[in-house]
Amino acid sequence: MNTIRVAVVDDHPIFREGVASCLTDIGGYDIVGEGGSSEDAQAIAQQSNPDVMLLDISMPGGGLNAVEAILDRQPSQKIIMLTVSESHSDIATALKLGAKGYVLKGVGSRMLSEILRAVHGGEMYLSPALSARMIAGISQTGNPSSATGIHELTEREHDVLRLVAAGLSNKRIARDLDLHEKTIKHHLTRIFAKLKVSNRTEAAMAFRDAGEAARPSAG
């Protein structure tokens, strides 16, 4: 198992140290930086270049401001928001700015580890409860190509997209469908192309907009 270099930025030292300690105990993580502000986050990103950064939103300088500043200079940096905020605006802004994950602080250490590895592997992650709430609160996008694309999905692609919309990671989807994780990634590439979307959240929105009654094509 490859070691993932992680930075934790949160203005509550006890929480920050707890996250770092939990990840260290699980193993497979190297904590390369800790901080408590947007300024700290930017300095750590530049100096330590972690594989993944965990950032709070409510900290001096603002976590969302840190995301924008960091990705402006280092577009490949992977960032996960680890926060108590369930604000639709915060979620939408974080994803729009380029964060790869949005996780609530009530998450368990093992689940956080799974999320970190998923994001490190190239996936996006949004807590299932937040995903459902966010999608439910968004009106029809008005993009006819997405609606048409839903009906072009094969039965297997439809199954994969249904589980994506439920908030499952590629690893969990592969387990549920008894497929290899690489196969799930291949299906997602085809799904994104058919729906003309660029990420999991947009694909899930298209699925919810079309309604689960949308029938997959044969094949």
Side-chain angles (χ1 to χ4, degrees), residues 25-54:
D25 289 345
I26 289 173
Y29 297 95
D30 181 13
I31 307 302
V32 299
E34 293 185 43
S37 67
S38 173
E39 185 177 348
D40 290 343
Q42 294 174 57
I44 291 169
Q46 191 166 10
Q47 296 166 12
S48 302
N49 190 30
D51 295 321
V52 184
M53 297 192 75
L54 293 171

Side-chain angles (χ1 to χ4, degrees), residues 44-194:
I44 291 169
Q46 191 166 10
Q47 296 166 12
S48 302
N49 190 30
D51 295 321
V52 184
M53 297 192 75
L54 293 171
L55 299 185
D56 189 16
I57 284 183
S58 300
M59 61 182 180
L64 295 176
N65 291 333
V67 174
E68 185 172 24
I70 291 168
L71 295 182
D72 186 50
R73 291 194 299 265
Q74 298 162 256
S76 63
Q77 176 66 65
K78 293 173 180 175
I79 297 173
I80 297 174
M81 310 311 296
L82 182 57
T83 177
V84 297
S85 174
E86 299 183 37
S87 162
H88 182 285
S89 175
D90 284 343
I91 299 168
T93 300
L95 297 179
K96 182 178 180 180
L97 289 174
K100 299 300 182 184
Y102 197 102
V103 184
L104 296 179
K105 283 186 174 180
V107 68
S109 59
R110 292 288 172 181
M111 178 57 74
L112 180 59
S113 175
E114 185 175 325
I115 293 167
L116 274 164
R117 292 207 165 270
V119 169
H120 181 250
E123 296 183 36
M124 290 187 68
Y125 184 88
L126 179 60
S127 295
L130 295 181
S131 178
R133 192 177 312 160
M134 183 178 180
I135 292 169
I138 296 176
S139 60
Q140 197 83 359
T141 60
N143 184 353
S145 61
S146 292
T148 301
I150 289 289
H151 295 282
E152 295 177 357
L153 299 181
T154 65
E155 185 173 357
R156 178 62 78 190
E157 289 165 353
H158 189 273
D159 289 341
V160 170
L161 181 55
R162 174 175 53 81
L163 295 176
V164 166
L168 273 63
S169 67
N170 285 0
K171 184 176 181 180
R172 285 286 305 279
I173 294 172
R175 189 184 310 159
D176 284 6
L177 298 180
D178 195 25
L179 297 171
H180 291 294
E181 193 170 347
K182 287 184 178 179
T183 303
I184 300 302
K185 292 181 179 179
H186 174 70
H187 282 312
L188 284 174
T189 297
R190 290 176 57 83
I191 290 168
F192 291 171
K194 288 180 179 181

